[in-house]
Amino acid sequence: MCGVVGVAAHEPVNQILYDALTMLQHRGQDAAGIVTLQDGRLYLRKENGMVRDVFMTRHMLRLVGKFGIGHVRYPTAGTSSSAEAQPFYVNSPYGITLAHNGNLTNAEALAKTLYKEDRRHLNTDSDSEVLLNVLAHEMQDLDKTHASADDIFKAVTAVYHRLEGAYGVVALITGHGLLAFRDPNGIRPLIFGERQSENGGTEYMVASESVALTGSGFSIIRDVRPGEAIFIDLNHNLHTQQCVEPKEYTPCIFEYVYFARPDSIMDNISVYKSRLRMGEKLAQKILQEWGENHDIDVVIPIPDTSRTSAMELAFKLNIKYREGFMKNRYIGRTFIMPGQQQRKKSVRQKLNAVPLEFKGKNVLLVDDSIVRGTTCHEIIQMARDAGARKVFFASAAPPVKYPNVYGIDMPVRSELIASGHSVEEVRDIIGADRLIYQDLNDLIDAVKDTKHSRVEGFDCAVFNGCYITGQIDEAYLDYLQAQRSETAKTGKKGVQIVADTPVDMTGVTEEL
């Protein structure tokens, strides 16, 4: 999962991009990058680390220009190298730089076609570089010294016909302007807005989440539609076009469960309200299955994402809500860390129990989801160590049984605790006295409960194994397992960062 932002302004965009990336920092803490455009030249700074660590004053001063894009990311395999931080750049045609959130499920086939037929060299294992070169090839085929907005949309339409998977893209085309487009199912989020500059001109921003816009004083225009591209030329004229027919409008439901900030609005759906309703639905299920004599003394969230759901759950059950865990905010997310032992150790560094809230009580711990189960097991043990008499556990999401193929580094099926285990078996493994999951239909109802969204459904593949874009078979999942498994990650040589799907080019040169 990554965060992208693009800005077309009447003033220098370096600070605007920096501020927007800090608002999107939750979407990736491994690397950050900014590219700006001025007088036909691109200025780039990217490196491993948090936004505040990557951009020093000396870097900001060099990022000149009134157009720019930015990116934050986390790695999906192994450790990391700044060589694969984004944005990526290709010099022909025009000079194009691109940042991408999502995953191309046909990246390997595209990479081979790019090498064999398009004569384009890939320097990394990133599917984002594949996407950039596909765009560059289609722009090259225009065979024009300068491309109009219609020409650019024609090229993007050709790109759509070649890509499979999920993507939210921002790109700068030197001498032309800012381009953005979204996958035909709208799986990955993308939203744009505007504001008036001091000189009266209109400025535009496009980003992964609305908080990046509103935090910088932009008002929301709308979400980029599935299959739609927007282009802002160097004269700040906004052009939009539906480049391909949208498919079923199905954003990723896990954005609302976990990834997005609660103050974001995505596809006209409030993330905060969705999480409130998740807590309400879960409370109803507890009453149905455990009864009113549920024996819960206190509800405690596992910081931070589950707070909203836990608060509403406690309210509906008329039970005390307490903060029982204090969080060290300088520790990264554990489920993306390479290696079970590192994740296990990180949990104890990340959270510290407050004994006063646990001693002698039956506590209900609420989390947004259960993935591997490693974190849950450690936290439940921490609650017991703090004096809890009984520890119950509730997940605001259904059991995660299948890997994600659209840009979230969900582990392979064999590493998902709910895959192949019943609820009772999971309860026993994580060490809880009771365990309850959200029902999938209740989760969908919680997120979709709005009159203003045009969403037709959701990508729920991690829960039900139904991959919205199709063409995901056992062979692909086996390939993904070979790339994502703990064994594969720890066995990789050197230091590297593999963007959402690693591209295997083994044997391509030999075939030629």
Side-chain angles (χ1 to χ4, degrees):
M1 184 61 62
C2 303
V4 299
V5 60
V7 177
H10 292 278
E11 60 181 85
V13 295
N14 52 359
Q15 189 65 50
I16 303 172
L17 288 166
Y18 178 94
D19 293 341
L21 290 182
T22 61
M23 299 292 286
L24 298 174
Q25 185 75 85
H26 60 286
R27 301 185 68 87
Q29 299 95 41
D30 182 80
I34 289 176
V35 175
T36 57
L37 172 64
Q38 177 170 282
D39 298 330
R41 287 180 179 267
L42 295 168
Y43 299 85
L44 167 67
R45 167 63 181 170
K46 62 179 182 177
E47 186 56 84
N48 282 3
M50 306 279 275
V51 174
R52 64 173 182 263
D53 299 320
V54 171
F55 303 102
M56 303 292 106
T57 301
R58 65 183 184 278
H59 304 128
M60 296 292 287
L61 291 174
R62 295 169 188 162
L63 292 170
V64 296
K66 300 177 181 179
F67 280 67
I69 62 174
H71 187 266
V72 290
R73 72 177 312 280
Y74 73 68
T76 62
T79 52
S80 58
S81 165
S82 59
E84 298 202 24
Q86 296 185 40
F88 285 113
Y89 166 76
V90 66
N91 70 333
S92 178
Y94 311 119
I96 304 173
T97 184
L98 175 146
H100 161 226
N101 170 36
N103 176 48
L104 304 184
T105 56
N106 64 334
E108 185 178 6
L110 282 172
K112 292 178 179 179
T113 300
L114 284 167
Y115 191 85
K116 291 180 180 179
E117 300 177 14
D118 299 349
R119 299 294 186 260
R120 286 189 168 270
H121 169 71
L122 299 176
N123 199 50
T124 71
D125 291 330
S126 171
D127 65 337
S128 301
E129 191 187 14
V130 171
L131 199 160
L132 169 61
N133 276 273
V134 170
L135 174 62
H137 175 77
E138 299 304 333
M139 292 289 293
Q140 187 82 54
D141 270 6
L142 295 172
D143 197 24
K144 292 189 175 183
T145 303
H146 185 85
S148 66
D150 287 340
D151 292 328
I152 292 171
F153 290 141
K154 180 181 177 181
V156 173
T157 300
V159 170
Y160 272 116
H161 291 314
R162 297 180 66 177
L163 303 185
E164 296 172 11
Y167 43 91
V169 177
V170 292
L172 283 178
I173 306 173
T174 308
H176 293 76
L178 172 66
L179 172 68
F181 54 96
R182 188 182 185 188
D183 68 81
N185 289 98
I187 298 174
R188 296 272 68 87
L190 205 61
I191 188 170
F192 72 104
E194 65 181 7
R195 73 179 187 184
Q196 297 302 306
S197 66
E198 293 183 358
N199 63 11
T202 303
E203 301 177 324
Y204 295 96
M205 177 187 288
V206 58
S208 295
E209 292 187 33
S210 62
V211 290
L213 280 68
T214 55
S216 299
F218 286 78
S219 59
I220 297 170
I221 297 176
R222 58 177 172 82
D223 295 277
V224 178
R225 299 187 180 101
E228 181 186 33
I230 67 172
F231 175 66
I232 299 106
D233 63 35
L234 295 180
N235 293 317
H236 296 83
N237 297 310
L238 173 67
H239 309 266
T240 68
Q241 183 168 305
Q242 191 69 43
C243 292
V244 293
E245 285 298 316
K247 299 179 182 178
E248 186 181 6
Y249 195 169
T250 52
C252 174
I253 202 165
F254 215 74
E255 289 276 1
Y256 302 92
V257 171
Y258 178 72
F259 271 104
R261 276 181 43 154
D263 47 343
S264 282
I265 306 292
M266 307 179 80
D267 296 300
N268 273 330
I269 298 171
S270 165
V271 176
Y272 180 78
K273 286 186 178 179
S274 295
R275 291 177 184 168
L276 283 176
R277 290 191 289 263
M278 290 176 207
E280 180 181 352
K281 298 283 187 183
L282 198 51
Q284 292 170 358
K285 186 176 180 182
I286 288 174
L287 291 174
Q288 290 169 2
E289 295 196 0
W290 296 358
E292 293 191 5
N293 297 321
H294 41 64
D295 205 25
I296 303 169
D297 296 323
V298 61
V299 174
I300 295 176
I302 298 174
D304 287 315
T305 322
S306 63
R307 279 197 175 103
T308 308
S309 297
M311 181 173 58
E312 185 67 5
L313 183 152
F315 175 75
K316 292 297 180 181
L317 294 180
N318 194 27
I319 297 173
K320 289 187 294 184
Y321 169 92
R322 291 290 185 267
E323 293 285 342
F325 292 106
M326 298 297 110
K327 185 176 181 180
N328 178 354
R329 300 183 184 278
Y330 302 97
I331 299 292
R333 291 174 173 169
T334 57
F335 88 88
I336 61 175
M337 289 184 176
Q340 291 280 52
Q341 289 303 316
Q342 188 173 344
R343 274 188 296 272
K344 191 173 180 179
K345 179 181 177 182
S346 178
V347 175
R348 296 277 180 166
Q349 296 173 332
K350 185 178 182 178
L351 295 177
N352 194 43
V354 180
L356 178 67
E357 300 298 348
F358 291 93
K359 191 172 183 179
K361 299 177 183 176
N362 297 336
V363 299
L364 175 65
L365 303 182
V366 181
D367 206 353
D368 53 79
S369 59
I370 303 174
V371 183
R372 287 185 174 93
T374 308
T375 300
C376 300
H377 181 274
E378 287 298 305
I379 290 174
I380 289 169
Q381 188 57 50
M382 288 172 64
R384 295 194 189 282
D385 293 344
R389 185 167 63 242
K390 292 182 181 179
V391 182
F392 309 136
F393 203 95
S395 168
V400 177
K401 297 182 177 181
Y402 303 91
N404 183 281
V405 302
Y406 298 127
I408 301 175
D409 184 32
M410 286 292 185
V412 296
R413 192 182 303 179
S414 61
E415 295 171 5
L416 297 169
I417 191 172
S419 181
H421 291 112
S422 67
V423 173
E424 186 60 21
E425 287 171 334
V426 173
R427 180 206 63 75
D428 184 58
I429 293 169
I430 66 176
D433 293 291
R434 274 183 171 178
L435 170 64
I436 193 164
Y437 283 101
Q438 186 87 264
D439 287 335
L440 181 55
N441 288 337
D442 285 343
L443 175 62
I444 293 172
D445 288 344
V447 180
K448 198 177 182 180
D449 186 15
T450 176
K451 298 178 181 179
H452 306 293
S453 178
R454 299 169 60 190
V455 165
E456 300 170 86
F458 297 94
D459 164 44
C460 303
V462 296
F463 306 123
N464 60 15
C466 297
Y467 295 99
I468 294 296
T469 63
Q471 301 171 321
I472 304 299
D473 54 20
E474 286 301 320
Y476 181 82
L477 294 178
D478 289 344
Y479 162 75
L480 204 64
Q481 175 151 341
Q483 300 292 338
R484 285 185 174 180
S485 68
E486 292 293 344
T487 303
K489 290 179 181 181
T490 55
K492 290 183 181 295
K493 298 179 180 179
V495 288
Q496 61 176 330
I497 184 169
V498 180
D500 303 311
T501 288
V503 179
D504 184 4
M505 292 292 289
T506 305
V508 176
T509 306
E510 289 81 350
E511 291 176 12
L512 297 178

